[in-house]
Amino acid sequence: MDNLFRRTGIDMPEPVRRFLQGETETWLRVEEYRDGNTFVVRTDVPGIDPDRDIDITVTDGTLHIAARRTEPAHKDQPGYRTEVRYGEYSRSIPLPRSTNPEAIEASYIDGVLEIRAQLPEQSGTSATKVHVSRGAGQPPEAPETP
């Protein structure tokens, strides 16, 4: 689509070009995994200042990540073209049950935001047998003996 407008000489405003090319997503793409007793969420957000452009909150067991990338000052220069996405992006991720929001840490290294949440220690899996009744008024059958 972009080549079509270039060949015809139509100067397309950047937001319109992005919309026509299908770049309307406003959510962060993430990867999630468990590393031992740690729940890890990672997302690529290069070219931002993490102190100013990232907000991470936890509400009702859900991790909320918001990031902003502002367009550069030179965007109005002649011949400017970009394939970098600018704007606000967010994602909400349910945390595993019993995750302590106070034990969540985040780091930003080489354009990758990594959030690590400590999971509570689990003491093995326990199973409880549940009796199934046959209905009202009928006594359970005795097991057959060989």
XYZ file of all heavy atoms in Angstrom, residues 2 6 37 63 66 79 87 90 111 123 137:
68
model
N 1.928 1.214 0.843
C 2.820 2.365 0.940
C 3.472 2.651 -0.412
O 3.590 3.801 -0.817
C 3.886 2.107 2.004
C 4.613 3.374 2.405
O 3.976 4.445 2.417
O 5.807 3.281 2.716
N 3.503 6.092 -2.802
C 4.764 6.705 -3.229
C 4.809 6.853 -4.745
O 5.261 7.864 -5.262
C 5.949 5.849 -2.777
C 6.309 6.093 -1.371
C 7.608 5.442 -1.069
N 7.627 5.138 0.348
C 8.610 4.558 0.954
N 9.662 4.178 0.282
N 8.557 4.331 2.233
N 10.381 -20.648 41.021
C 9.270 -20.043 41.763
C 9.079 -18.586 41.379
O 8.645 -17.779 42.198
C 9.504 -20.156 43.273
C 9.210 -21.547 43.785
O 8.570 -22.343 43.115
N 9.678 -21.847 44.976
N -1.549 -7.673 36.638
C -0.399 -6.827 36.350
C -0.748 -5.938 35.163
O -1.146 -6.432 34.115
C 0.811 -7.702 36.012
C 2.092 -7.009 35.599
C 2.694 -6.270 36.783
C 3.078 -8.020 35.055
N 1.988 -0.207 31.113
C 1.717 0.843 30.132
C 3.062 1.447 29.729
O 3.919 1.697 30.576
C 0.807 1.920 30.709
N 11.548 14.249 3.799
C 12.032 12.890 3.558
C 11.929 11.965 4.758
O 12.361 10.824 4.689
N 3.501 6.013 20.226
C 2.205 6.135 20.880
C 2.209 5.450 22.226
O 3.264 5.202 22.818
N -0.313 -0.793 26.022
C -0.574 -1.343 27.348
C -0.915 -2.817 27.256
O -1.219 -3.335 26.186
C -1.703 -0.581 28.041
O -2.907 -0.745 27.316
N 16.514 -2.402 25.959
C 15.209 -2.284 25.323
C 14.206 -3.344 25.704
O 13.107 -3.390 25.159
N 3.773 -26.596 48.713
C 4.226 -27.823 49.360
C 3.555 -29.030 48.712
O 2.578 -29.548 49.217
C 3.919 -27.771 50.855
O 2.536 -27.588 51.035
N -31.706 -41.751 49.807
C -32.344 -42.945 50.346
C -31.689 -44.252 49.978
O -32.108 -45.286 50.446
